[in-house]
């Protein structure tokens, strides 16, 4: 039945490395025996149809129960074992693959798919469900096909990331950064602080702050610039942090104690696309001075819906991220998801977005999908986006595909961490390493700064 599965390299497309020991992970005689026995089984076609003697011994009740009880010491080892069992125990394959999917939740999907582990049988990952939301299976966020044709790009764009530094050909982005049109009002910021873009906004400009958290960075800078800030923060606990912290930080910046209330919460009911209260009424009630943040109690995503979201405080995301060690009191909260297209086209009176900031812990592709009408019509001028390949993997997003998606809609993107232009594939490869994207843990990230060359 498994003639197409000759050995591990046919799954992996590479020979596995020796047992990886990172910190206390996978240490001990039993884990080493399991690793060696699974490698032996993966290289013998007979053992892909029936138990090898070594694996038969290790799956006896008491020993197997030990592995289950201690699986957090070596999640990838248990996952490898269960994948092997799904091959040789055909009558229980469905339940074993479900168990493997649940074990894989505690490992980074991108790291798993990239073949970083020394454990065999990870070539079977295509049969698993690696994307979860609120403890339930979810569909991955695809970066193609593109739904709409792009706006009129003035010239063909090469598919490369550019270094972001003074002296480069930055065009309008350089002016927005405060480098090419006289002195910047934000000389206190370091040259590599992306918050310069918010602080340099013109009064009345529209800033979208997706992933507000406590409001003391992007929303604060937009308020100080006199911009209209539209924030999206789905979690009630984070909105409480905004009420506690944002007025205090605003008062410190304006040097007169607690700042005046410069933020307003707007409720969106789960399953609905916009607030029930009319925008004109809200604006008249709150626009006493320039600079205000209107914070929607919703997440930005690819469609309008109600969903459950696991709260973490630090890295809450639409997609579950079991590979990060979370606090003991994580809960599931019902939230609203809407799209930026719905908000701009049906609720707000603005015809374009000056600056879109996305920091939604791996769900950036969902937010971009929900803004595809704005992207295709050239109505988003600048984009600052957290680029975290590990977290993107938790939503099923291909990091390189995300860059091609932005390129399709005429965005030229810059990295603050490279010294020369790099192809998309070369740039992403920097992050697909055990150091940059480990099987467990946060991994490396950066902010990308992009300009829409088709902006109208």
């Amino acid at each position: 039945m498994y003639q197409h599965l000759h050995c591990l390299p046919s799954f992996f497309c590479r020979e596995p490395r020796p047992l990886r020991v990172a910190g206390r992970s996978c240490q001990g005689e039993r884990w080493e025996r399991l690793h060696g026995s699974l490698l032996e089984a993966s290289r013998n076609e007979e053992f892909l149809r029936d138990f090898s003697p070594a694996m038969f011994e290790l799956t006896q009740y008491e020993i197997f129960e030990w592995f289950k009880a201690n699986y957090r010491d070596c999640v990838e080892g248990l996952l490898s074992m269960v994948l092997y069992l799904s091959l040789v125990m055909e009558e229980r394959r469905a339940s074993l693959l479900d168990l493997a999917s649940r074990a894989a939740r505690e490992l980074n999907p991108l790291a798993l798919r990239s073949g970083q582990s020394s454990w065999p049988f990870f070539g079977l990952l295509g049969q698993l469900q690696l994307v979860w939301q609120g403890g339930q299976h979810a569909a991955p966020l695809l970066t193609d096909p593109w739904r709409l044709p792009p706006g009129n790009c003035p010239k063909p764009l090469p598919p490369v990331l550019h270094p972001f530094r003074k002296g480069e050909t930055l065009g309008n982005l350089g002016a927005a950064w405060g480098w090419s049109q006289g002195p910047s009002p934000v000389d206190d910021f370091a040259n590599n602080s992306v918050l310069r873009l918010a602080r340099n906004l013109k009064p009345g400009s529209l800033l979208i702050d997706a992933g507000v958290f406590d409001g003391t960075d992007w929303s604060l800078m937009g308020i100080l610039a006199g911009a209209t800030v539209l924030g999206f923060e789905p979690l009630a606990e984070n909105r409480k942090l905004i009420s506690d912290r944002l007025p205090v930080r605003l008062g410190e910046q304006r040097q007169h104690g607690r700042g005046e209330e410069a933020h307003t919460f707007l409720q969106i009911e789960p399953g609905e696309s916009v607030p029930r209260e009319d925008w004109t009424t809200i604006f008249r009630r709150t626009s006493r001075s320039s600079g205000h943040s209107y914070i929607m109690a919703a997440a930005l995503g690819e469609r309008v819906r109600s969903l459950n979201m696991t709260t973490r405080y630090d890295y809450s995301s639409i997609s579950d991220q079991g590979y990060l060690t979370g606090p003991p009191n994580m809960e599931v909260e019902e939230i609203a998801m809407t799209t930026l297209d719905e908000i701009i086209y049906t609720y707000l009176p603005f015809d374009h977005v000056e600056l879109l900031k996305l920091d939604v812990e791996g769900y950036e592709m969902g937010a971009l999908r929900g803004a595809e009408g704005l992207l295709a019509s050239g109505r988003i001028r600048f984009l600052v986006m957290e680029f975290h390949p590990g977290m993107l993997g938790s939503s099923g997003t291909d990091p390189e595909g995300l860059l091609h998606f932005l390129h399709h809609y005429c965005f030229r993107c810059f990295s603050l961490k490279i010294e020369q232009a790099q192809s998309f594939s070369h740039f992403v490869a920097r992050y697909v390493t055990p150091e940059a994207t480990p099987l467990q843990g946060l991994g490396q990230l950066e902010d990308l700064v992009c300009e829409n060359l088709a902006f109208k």
Side-chain angles (χ1 to χ4, degrees):
M1 181 177 293
Y2 300 107
Q3 282 89 4
H4 64 293
L5 304 179
H6 296 298
C7 62
L8 175 67
S10 67
F11 301 145
F12 246 134
C13 298
R14 69 189 74 185
E15 187 71 17
R17 298 187 293 272
L19 176 61
R20 177 186 65 87
V21 177
R24 297 180 58 83
S25 177
C26 301
Q27 289 188 354
E29 184 268 340
R30 282 189 173 178
W31 291 115
E32 292 175 3
R33 280 183 59 201
L34 178 64
H35 185 260
S37 299
L38 287 168
L39 282 179
E40 177 192 29
S42 72
R43 292 163 175 158
N44 189 319
E45 187 172 352
E46 177 185 353
F47 297 154
L48 297 178
R49 297 188 296 269
D50 201 1
F51 278 102
S52 72
M55 285 304 302
F56 182 79
E57 178 185 350
L58 289 174
T59 52
Q60 295 305 297
Y61 179 78
E62 289 187 2
I63 301 177
F64 187 64
E65 287 299 304
W66 182 90
F67 284 122
K68 288 171 57 179
N70 294 277
Y71 84 97
R72 290 189 184 276
D73 293 339
C74 186
V75 177
E76 56 199 284
L78 181 73
L79 175 59
S80 180
M81 174 191 275
V82 176
L83 288 172
Y84 174 69
L85 295 178
S86 74
L87 285 178
V88 298
M89 302 177 69
E90 186 173 0
E91 72 283 359
R92 297 185 58 190
R93 181 168 303 143
S95 61
L96 286 166
L97 289 176
D98 181 67
L99 175 60
S101 292
R102 295 181 184 279
R105 291 176 63 185
E106 300 195 27
L107 299 172
N108 187 286
L110 179 63
L112 280 174
R113 292 191 180 101
S114 63
Q116 293 183 18
S117 176
S118 63
W119 290 84
F121 299 109
F122 281 8
L124 296 170
L125 291 172
Q127 300 182 40
L128 304 187
Q129 172 57 253
L130 298 179
V131 180
W132 297 73
Q133 292 178 9
Q136 303 297 318
H137 294 175
L141 289 171
L142 301 180
T143 58
D144 61 0
W146 305 303
R147 294 174 182 164
L148 298 171
N152 296 320
C153 286
K155 60 182 179 180
L157 290 177
V160 298
L161 261 292
H162 301 271
F164 192 96
R165 59 191 178 194
K166 196 170 185 178
E168 293 288 324
T169 305
L170 299 177
N172 293 325
L173 187 55
W177 197 261
W179 274 345
S180 59
Q181 288 189 350
S184 167
V186 288
D187 288 333
D188 54 321
F189 281 100
N191 283 343
N192 64 351
S193 172
V194 290
L195 288 172
R196 291 173 64 102
L197 287 173
R199 189 64 180 89
N200 276 331
L201 286 171
K202 295 179 180 179
S205 299
L206 179 60
L207 162 64
I208 304 296
D209 183 3
V212 177
F213 185 51
D214 66 1
T216 59
D217 43 30
W218 290 90
S219 285
L220 174 65
M221 291 301 107
I223 292 170
L224 292 172
T228 298
V229 183
L230 188 64
F232 292 86
E233 180 47 64
L235 296 178
E237 186 64 28
N238 288 352
R239 295 196 297 273
K240 183 177 183 300
L241 292 177
I242 293 170
S243 294
D244 292 342
R245 297 177 182 178
L246 179 56
V248 174
R249 291 285 289 118
L250 185 60
E252 292 172 352
Q253 291 289 322
R254 290 175 170 170
Q255 299 180 347
H256 51 70
R258 185 180 175 90
E260 64 181 25
E261 293 300 325
H263 70 278
T264 301
F265 292 114
L266 306 181
Q267 182 66 29
I268 297 181
E269 296 300 325
E272 299 183 8
S273 60
V274 299
R276 294 179 180 179
E277 188 174 6
D278 178 72
W279 168 258
T280 302
T281 303
I282 296 170
F283 189 74
R284 286 174 178 170
R285 186 175 70 243
T286 57
S287 59
R288 293 183 294 274
S289 59
S290 65
H292 200 93
S293 182
Y294 301 89
I295 300 165
M296 304 258 181
L300 276 186
E302 73 282 11
R303 57 192 172 96
V304 175
R305 58 175 168 142
S306 168
L307 72 151
N308 292 326
M309 182 173 172
T310 303
T311 65
R312 294 182 50 91
Y313 173 80
D314 48 0
Y315 298 106
S316 295
S317 173
I318 298 297
S319 297
D320 293 348
Q321 296 168 338
Y323 57 90
L324 296 176
T325 301
N329 59 340
M330 289 190 296
E331 299 177 351
V332 173
E333 180 178 336
E334 184 186 21
I335 67 163
M337 175 183 284
T338 188
T339 73
L340 194 54
D341 280 348
E342 282 284 342
I343 293 293
I344 298 298
Y345 287 132
T346 70
Y347 188 69
L348 293 183
F350 293 86
D351 61 359
H352 78 277
V353 176
E354 185 70 12
L355 175 59
L356 169 59
K357 166 259 179 177
L358 291 179
D359 183 359
V360 288
E361 312 301 352
Y363 214 75
E364 283 75 14
M365 191 64 225
L368 290 169
R369 277 293 190 195
E372 209 157 353
L374 292 165
L375 296 173
S377 60
R379 295 182 182 275
I380 298 177
R381 188 172 193 179
F382 300 119
L383 166 68
V384 176
M385 179 184 68
E386 183 179 85
F387 186 74
H388 192 311
M391 284 191 173
L392 290 172
S394 67
S395 66
T397 299
D398 171 25
E400 184 178 344
L402 173 57
L403 298 177
H404 283 287
F405 178 90
L406 293 172
H407 177 264
H408 171 77
Y409 289 115
C410 208
F411 277 87
R412 181 176 62 168
C413 294
F414 298 81
S415 165
L416 281 74
K417 292 188 175 182
I418 60 176
E419 297 298 324
Q420 58 187 8
Q422 295 182 0
S423 68
F424 291 160
S425 59
H426 186 195
F427 179 76
V428 171
R430 300 167 63 247
Y431 285 96
V432 188
T433 66
E435 296 74 26
T437 304
L439 283 165
Q440 291 184 305
L442 184 60
Q444 297 177 9
L445 67 152
E446 67 172 286
D447 290 318
L448 299 184
V449 183
C450 307
E451 179 183 8
N452 184 353
L453 297 185
F455 175 72
K456 299 176 181 180

